[in-house]
Amino acid sequence: MTETLHPKLQPQFDAVVARNPGESEFHQAVHELMVSLAPIAGKRPDYAQWSILKRMCEPERQLIFRVPWVTDTGEVQINRGYRVEFNSTLGPFKGGLRFHPTVNLSIIKFLGFEQVYKNALTGMPIGGGKGGSDFDPKGRSEQEVMRFCQSFMTELHRHIGEHTDVPAGDIGVGGRELGYLFGQFKRITNRYESGVLTGKGLTWGGSQVRTEATGYGTVFFAQEMLASRGESFDGRRVVVSGSGNVAIYAVEKVQELGGTVVAVSDSGGYVVDEAGIDLSLLKEVKERQRERLSAYADARGGAVRHVTDGAVWDVPCDVALPCATQNELQAEHARTLVAHGTGLVAEGANMPCTAEAVTILREAGVLYAPGKASNAGGVATSALEMQQNASRDSWSFEETQERLRQIMVDIHRQCLETAEEYGDPGNYVMGANLAGYIRVADAMVALGVV
Ligand code: GLU
């Protein structure tokens, strides 16, 4: 945690650390928000009087449950399920479910905390929460994934609802898992409550553009950042980390806007394709075959490099879009980007840059957008899905995409206006955090101590 806190905020941060021992990712997310609050520290007696910050750092409800299931060979497996219902001031708890072996309470709390301010920035009526499990879908059969999802929902169903808490996808949870989760919810509740989950398939209540939304939204946001300097994606060299849902659709939109994505990565390394990533091959390998990038490299033969050591950030680029996972872009990577003259970093993942990396980028004058602003397109489109479900309507791809683009333009404008208002023009981190925080805090004051 590189930046120091305002003296009025340091004791509050120390209290969060003492109260939540060992939860380093959660501490990191809270610290990042608190750094941005310096301009209002001590200047909003109403927030202090109502203990707003203290209440914000304590989730409204934290659920941890056992998820028992049986493998194809008859073995009983036990996983741990989580749902952290962080803040429902602006609407029902809203946020994804992550299935990944690294999932623990700290990760879910950091994600839930970020989600509150991200969701506030979208301007939609949604609170924030997050959930998931340490279950690893990799290498599991269809039936095993289905049984796990059914067991997970057997417990989760009693805590969620369209007016209570609305989960969606995240890492390891896509259309397939959401289908099994929704099927089990429908069966045990005997209700076709479409608005209880988002990211649904198009034939069973889903929205156009939801699949593409996080990646597209990140690129729309980056497009606005470039435009603020009179630039565009046209002719730019772009590196995207990851090759999951966010990364794939970031690649797609960059290509549509005239940029060239020269590299993508996964946990086994990265591929450099100087001709530009072959998107249909990437989708075939990752979405249909659920294979590694080595399969992409094999299919492209000698035309690409598959690198299994180092980091994708070693590939020189004008624009870097971290779309993999938390803390994937560290200080040394930030230094490499600066040395290569990268001008823009916009986060598609949640908290992919470490605090130290952010400081290095910002001090070097690199335009940097935090995920809670630049990746808000996913959850914003989830809110559009809820809107369509509530009115039993469905909109066209074009209309939905235009709404998403407009929301991203709006978030970008809010970030810049807020940063300017509080004396640090161009600081997207401060702009995003303050704009989100103030919206939630004002509503919390209005609703009293609950
Ligand atoms: N998991 C996504 C995020 O990090 C989307 C959440 C949602 O659509 O509710 O924002």
Side-chain angles (χ1 to χ4, degrees):
M1 321 220 170
T2 51
E3 287 186 76
T4 49
L5 285 174
H6 187 280
K8 280 209 165 26
L9 296 166
Q10 186 66 48
Q12 304 227 41
F13 178 68
D14 293 343
V16 171
V17 173
R19 200 170 163 72
N20 303 277
E23 298 181 356
S24 59
E25 293 85 2
F26 178 51
H27 303 161
Q28 187 182 338
V30 171
H31 193 271
E32 186 216 280
L33 182 94
M34 285 195 184
V35 168
S36 299
L37 300 184
I40 58 168
K43 297 197 185 114
R44 290 294 304 253
D46 53 336
Y47 291 172
Q49 180 199 339
W50 293 94
S51 291
I52 294 297
L53 190 53
K54 196 169 168 186
R55 279 195 280 149
M56 281 181 172
C57 293
E58 185 69 18
E60 287 182 35
R61 190 178 292 121
Q62 306 184 53
L63 307 158
I64 302 181
F65 50 94
R66 182 171 70 195
V67 189
W69 59 283
V70 182
T71 66
D72 289 344
T73 52
E75 227 180 290
V76 174
Q77 298 282 318
I78 301 298
N79 284 100
R80 194 170 284 176
Y82 300 87
R83 186 71 183 166
V84 173
E85 299 183 332
F86 225 110
N87 193 311
S88 62
T89 307
L90 300 181
F93 303 106
K94 181 83 198 84
L97 298 171
R98 176 177 293 190
F99 292 169
H100 193 269
T102 57
V103 162
N104 57 37
L105 188 59
S106 172
I107 302 254
I108 299 298
K109 279 169 73 176
F110 115 66
L111 290 164
F113 186 80
E114 293 254 311
Q115 199 81 48
V116 174
Y117 308 96
K118 179 197 306 195
N119 294 4
L121 277 175
T122 67
M124 318 288 286
I126 41 179
K130 202 87 183 192
S133 175
D134 58 359
F135 171 72
D136 188 358
K138 252 195 216 120
R140 290 292 174 194
S141 71
E142 279 290 318
Q143 286 72 19
E144 288 177 324
V145 170
M146 181 175 75
R147 282 197 295 277
F148 175 81
C149 288
Q150 290 175 339
S151 179
F152 186 87
M153 184 53 85
T154 300
E155 173 59 32
L156 187 68
H157 86 277
R158 64 187 98 248
H159 308 292
I160 62 176
E162 64 174 314
H163 301 297
T164 318
D165 183 352
V166 184
D170 195 83
I171 294 172
V173 179
R176 174 181 66 170
E177 290 75 17
L178 286 163
Y180 298 145
L181 290 164
F182 185 68
Q184 182 73 349
F185 179 88
K186 183 176 80 62
R187 183 176 191 196
I188 47 191
T189 59
N190 194 31
R191 285 162 65 88
Y192 205 108
E193 190 181 320
S194 296
V196 72
L197 290 177
T198 60
K200 299 182 293 297
L202 295 176
T203 53
W204 43 281
S207 171
Q208 295 285 354
V209 195
R210 178 61 192 89
T211 304
E212 297 84 355
T214 313
Y216 278 19
T218 302
V219 176
F220 287 143
F221 195 94
Q223 190 183 21
E224 288 304 294
M225 296 167 81
L226 288 167
S228 75
R229 291 200 171 169
E231 297 169 16
S232 77
F233 267 107
D234 202 24
R236 303 267 158 214
R237 255 177 91 87
V238 182
V239 166
V240 175
S241 65
S243 46
N245 169 265
V246 181
I248 287 173
Y249 292 97
V251 173
E252 183 162 287
K253 191 50 78 179
V254 168
Q255 290 183 346
E256 268 178 51
L257 296 176
T260 305
V261 179
V262 291
V264 292
S265 64
D266 68 8
S267 52
Y270 62 93
V271 287
V272 186
D273 197 335
E274 290 290 344
I277 292 294
D278 178 337
L279 188 63
S280 55
L281 177 60
L282 183 67
K283 286 184 180 177
E284 171 62 29
V285 167
K286 285 290 170 182
E287 290 185 332
R288 278 174 285 283
Q289 298 174 6
R290 298 179 186 272
E291 264 295 344
R292 317 303 306 266
L293 280 176
S294 50
Y296 176 98
D298 291 346
R300 294 276 287 129
V304 303
R305 274 194 303 135
H306 184 222
V307 186
T308 53
D309 57 355
V312 71
W313 312 118
D314 295 337
V315 181
C317 62
D318 304 313
V319 172
L321 304 176
C323 296
T325 195
Q326 68 273 354
N327 293 329
E328 54 157 314
L329 197 160
Q330 295 158 8
E332 58 186 288
H333 309 131
R335 283 188 206 102
T336 307
L337 291 175
V338 170
H340 287 160
T342 302
L344 187 152
V345 176
E347 296 184 340
N350 290 312
M351 210 167 73
C353 296
T354 63
E356 218 185 335
V358 174
T359 304
I360 292 165
L361 294 171
R362 289 191 25 77
E363 281 177 2
V366 176
L367 281 179
Y368 163 77
K372 64 168 77 70
S374 49
N375 77 27
V379 75
T381 309
S382 279
L384 298 179
E385 182 173 331
M386 291 162 75
Q387 213 173 315
Q388 292 168 80
N389 292 151
S391 57
R392 300 187 184 279
D393 197 1
S394 63
W395 310 331
S396 70
F397 190 94
E398 290 68 30
E399 179 180 354
T400 316
Q401 176 171 238
E402 183 46 29
R403 287 192 193 224
L404 164 65
R405 201 188 59 80
Q406 202 49 57
I407 291 168
M408 299 315 293
V409 168
D410 228 62
I411 296 173
H412 180 267
R413 184 186 44 74
Q414 277 183 73
C415 289
L416 286 191
E417 283 177 7
T418 311
E420 172 116 29
E421 185 184 341
Y422 289 95
D424 197 352
N427 186 342
Y428 286 92
V429 182
M430 177 188 271
N433 282 328
L434 270 174
Y437 178 87
I438 290 169
R439 180 160 303 150
V440 178
D442 285 348
M444 284 179 76
V445 169
L447 268 56
V449 179
V450 288

